[in-house]
Amino acid sequence: MSLSAVMNTDSTASGTLRGILFLIGAVVCFGAVDGTSKMLVEEASFGQIMLARYVLALPVLLAVVGPGQWKQLFRTQSTGLQIIRGLTPVVIGGTMVFAVKYLPLAEATVILFAGPFFVVALSGWLLGEKVSGSSWIGVALGFLAVLIVARPGFTDVSQYAIFPAIAALFYAGFQLLSRRLGTSGEAPSTTLAWTLVIGNVVALPLALMDWRSLPGEAWFVCLLLGILFGAGQYFLAKAFSLAPANVLTPFSYFQLLSAVLFGLVVFGDVPDFWTFVGIALII
């Protein structure tokens, strides 16, 4: 093997490792985003929590890309798809706010992770991709894990499981639309910019309609929420620019561990035996 080939291989491996680390950073941030949202649900309105997620994330993106890129940042050949994709995380975030209000953070996050299994189940139909037998086994185990955690009809948890279940369905749509836009040549930064602008446009009137006076510590949590959401979005875009999606996807399950740890440390929520069984099955 030539020296240049060795150097290229090392460079690829280094980029993949960096992509994995960025992905882990992103999902840890997203786990903390749901946790900080749970901290705010008793004092802040739904609209304020949603606005806190988006209002700082857009400036973070603009700062990262630099003024020279602002003009072309919003240029797209798929305006309709960008708008639809931009609305899906609003629904995901909104339903997860209600989910963490009524459910322990770990349980809500496990049910949310039905989303990747919806992606596998729907990718053949919507994207024309071949789904292998092993993937269908994974889908079956994933749904089994979610049912074990939600236990529909058997516990108080089940009546509120509808919120993260809706989030999971839209999470699948979010990923499928992201894949469709990516294969059509849309830049990740453009897709992210549209998502953040749409989120602010939707969240701002919701916040103004039910604006509440918040104590100082709640404003600090709002600030933390915005920083975590913006950082998570940036880390996610960076990860997928460095490594293939099929390499990164398994590491997204670090969000489960982040949610369990956050819930344990901040809220004292100790997941029950069946939640741990569900987490183990999903991983």
Side-chain angles (χ1 to χ4, degrees):
M1 183 180 291
S2 67
L3 178 60
S4 61
V6 172
M7 292 178 65
N8 286 337
T9 301
D10 290 344
S11 176
T12 301
S14 174
T16 299
L17 177 60
R18 290 173 60 211
I20 290 170
L21 293 175
F22 272 114
L23 192 280
I24 291 173
V27 297
V28 168
C29 284
F30 293 144
V33 162
D34 289 332
T36 49
S37 297
K38 186 177 179 70
M39 294 171 67
L40 288 168
V41 291
E42 299 301 328
E43 294 179 307
S45 70
F46 169 77
Q48 284 175 305
I49 295 173
M50 293 299 295
L51 182 62
R53 291 179 176 226
Y54 285 98
V55 75
L56 289 178
L58 184 59
V60 168
L61 174 63
L62 295 176
V64 168
V65 301
Q69 301 293 320
W70 289 355
K71 265 190 176 180
Q72 62 185 27
L73 189 60
F74 294 93
R75 290 177 182 169
T76 177
Q77 301 298 317
S78 306
T79 304
L81 282 180
Q82 290 286 12
I83 292 173
I84 295 171
R85 184 196 179 274
L87 290 171
T88 54
V90 176
V91 178
I92 296 166
T95 50
M96 283 302 290
V97 168
F98 286 107
V100 298
K101 180 176 182 180
Y102 298 108
L103 298 174
L105 185 58
E107 277 84 341
T109 304
V110 172
I111 297 170
L112 173 67
F113 268 81
F117 306 112
F118 281 127
V119 172
V120 175
L122 295 174
S123 59
W125 175 44
L126 295 177
L127 299 177
E129 297 178 352
K130 185 177 180 181
V131 181
S132 66
S134 59
S135 293
W136 282 114
I137 293 172
V139 169
L141 287 175
F143 279 120
L144 176 61
V146 171
L147 289 173
I148 287 172
V149 175
R151 299 188 286 282
F154 296 101
T155 69
D156 292 336
V157 171
S158 63
Q159 63 182 313
Y160 300 116
I162 186 64
F163 295 119
I166 293 171
L169 184 59
F170 277 86
Y171 185 38
F174 177 74
Q175 294 188 48
L176 291 169
L177 286 168
S178 298
R179 192 176 302 179
R180 176 69 65 86
L181 287 167
T183 56
S184 69
E186 293 285 290
S189 57
T190 296
T191 298
L192 179 56
W194 275 85
T195 297
L196 296 180
V197 166
I198 291 169
N200 277 288
V201 168
V202 173
L204 181 58
L206 291 175
L208 292 176
M209 285 189 294
D210 188 15
W211 191 265
R212 301 178 188 178
S213 178
L214 302 178
E217 59 270 21
W219 283 114
F220 173 77
V221 176
C222 285
L223 177 63
L224 179 62
L225 175 58
I227 292 172
L228 287 168
F229 186 78
Q233 291 288 348
Y234 172 70
F235 290 160
L236 190 68
K238 188 70 174 176
F240 280 95
S241 72
L242 292 168
N246 63 312
V247 173
L248 294 175
T249 298
F251 293 93
S252 65
Y253 296 114
F254 270 84
Q255 185 170 340
L256 290 172
L257 304 180
S258 170
V260 170
L261 184 61
F262 195 104
L264 183 64
V265 172
V266 178
F267 303 109
D269 292 334
V270 180
D272 63 16
F273 170 76
W274 292 111
T275 299
F276 279 119
V277 170
I279 290 172
L281 270 176
I282 286 176
I283 293 175

